[in-house]
Amino acid sequence: MAAERSSTHAHRALITLRQRILNGELPGGTRLYEVALAEALGISRTPVRAALSRLAEEALLDRNAGGGFIVRSFAVADVVDTIELRGVLEGTAARLAAERGAPPELLAETGAILRGIDTLFQIETIDMEGYSHLNSRFHDLLARMSQSEVLIREIARIIALPFASPSAFLDDQSRQTDLVKTLAAAQDQHRAVIEAITHREGSRAESLAREHARAARRNVEFLLSREATPKDGAPSLAILSA
């Protein structure tokens, strides 16, 4: 029970802090400390520490040599470019997987993950933490299907950049209906990519994987546009890449 409560607190701290960074409440250069944040959020230091470490992995925070963390500064153009670059690399991975023939065990594991994601859409409120976990596993397997250590390493490098992770999005309950539609469309793209790989259609697999990443880019550009309204989730960057 205690472990489950700590996990829930850590997730809440992660979502809260990520949103504050993305909407500018915690601008670049801001120093963050576990004790102060734990007091502000009304939870213990342990889940705050876990949340800060996760945000550092997402490249939203830098570890301060003197202790604590510092919010990183980033430009919108950098966000768009990193998503575009991830699409190029994953597109190449998908093409190589199709041309070389993806290992059967990886295809089987991917199928199980897609079925797992399907079950998440069968409940009234989607489990975003569960989706994030399965989605990240899918993209990891996609990279591994390329059977290229160089490509696997470079994809791991790019997803460490701000917002380039396939699951770098916000759990914004106010946009639940739109969110489910977006994730369902992403799931259809997942299946199309794997289908192309299975049928050894290299060019099609590459094109589909790149388009999959572009959906995240378009979402970021819309949320930062003048056309976006508060109900759309702006000014937060709900990066919905699967």
Side-chain angles (χ1 to χ4, degrees):
M1 182 65 72
E4 182 178 348
R5 185 164 54 251
S6 178
S7 176
T8 299
H9 286 167
H11 182 62
R12 179 165 64 86
L14 172 65
I15 296 302
T16 300
L17 292 174
R18 189 195 285 130
Q19 187 165 22
R20 289 180 180 177
I21 292 171
L22 296 179
N23 67 19
E25 287 184 52
L26 296 173
T30 301
R31 294 178 180 272
L32 302 179
Y33 298 96
E34 290 178 13
V35 175
L37 289 173
E39 292 177 353
L41 295 173
I43 57 179
S44 68
R45 293 175 59 181
T46 299
V48 170
R49 184 182 305 119
L52 291 173
S53 295
R54 173 66 180 274
L55 291 171
E57 291 174 2
E58 292 181 10
L60 288 177
L61 301 178
D62 285 324
R63 295 181 185 274
N64 185 18
F69 294 80
I70 299 176
V71 179
R72 291 188 64 178
S73 297
F74 58 91
V76 174
D78 294 332
V79 176
V80 172
D81 287 349
T82 53
I83 293 173
E84 182 71 18
L85 182 54
R86 178 170 65 81
V88 171
L89 292 175
E90 289 192 328
T92 302
R95 176 173 56 79
L96 291 180
E99 292 175 351
R100 296 174 176 178
E105 64 274 16
L106 295 185
L107 286 172
E109 189 174 349
T110 301
I113 289 172
L114 294 180
R115 289 191 294 275
I117 293 177
D118 284 339
T119 63
L120 298 178
F121 293 109
Q122 298 173 10
I123 57 178
E124 185 175 349
T125 301
I126 191 168
D127 176 4
M128 291 303 301
E129 189 170 10
Y131 181 90
S132 176
H133 174 68
L134 290 174
N135 183 54
S136 295
R137 285 181 58 195
F138 173 87
H139 283 266
D140 176 63
L141 286 170
L142 178 61
R144 289 167 55 192
M145 284 182 189
S146 70
Q147 302 175 71
S148 168
E149 291 300 324
V150 172
L151 196 52
I152 293 170
R153 183 172 61 250
E154 291 308 309
I155 290 175
R157 189 194 306 275
I158 193 65
I159 64 174
L161 295 175
F163 311 108
S165 166
S167 295
F169 47 76
L170 298 182
D171 188 0
D172 190 341
Q173 297 300 321
S174 68
R175 302 177 66 239
Q176 185 69 203
T177 300
D178 291 338
L179 187 62
V180 170
K181 289 180 180 178
T182 301
L183 297 183
Q187 175 73 337
D188 288 340
Q189 290 178 325
H190 285 158
R191 293 192 183 283
V193 170
I194 296 305
E195 179 184 76
I197 289 174
T198 302
H199 292 162
R200 308 294 290 271
E201 299 170 339
S203 295
R204 179 167 178 262
E206 180 174 19
S207 177
L208 287 168
R210 293 188 65 168
E211 180 59 30
H212 187 50
R214 288 196 189 101
R217 171 176 173 167
R218 288 193 296 271
N219 190 68
V220 172
E221 291 172 337
F222 171 74
L223 290 173
L224 290 171
S225 71
R226 294 182 178 180
E227 288 75 22
T229 64
K231 70 179 179 61
D232 295 314
S236 61
L237 300 180
I239 299 181
L240 308 177
S241 164

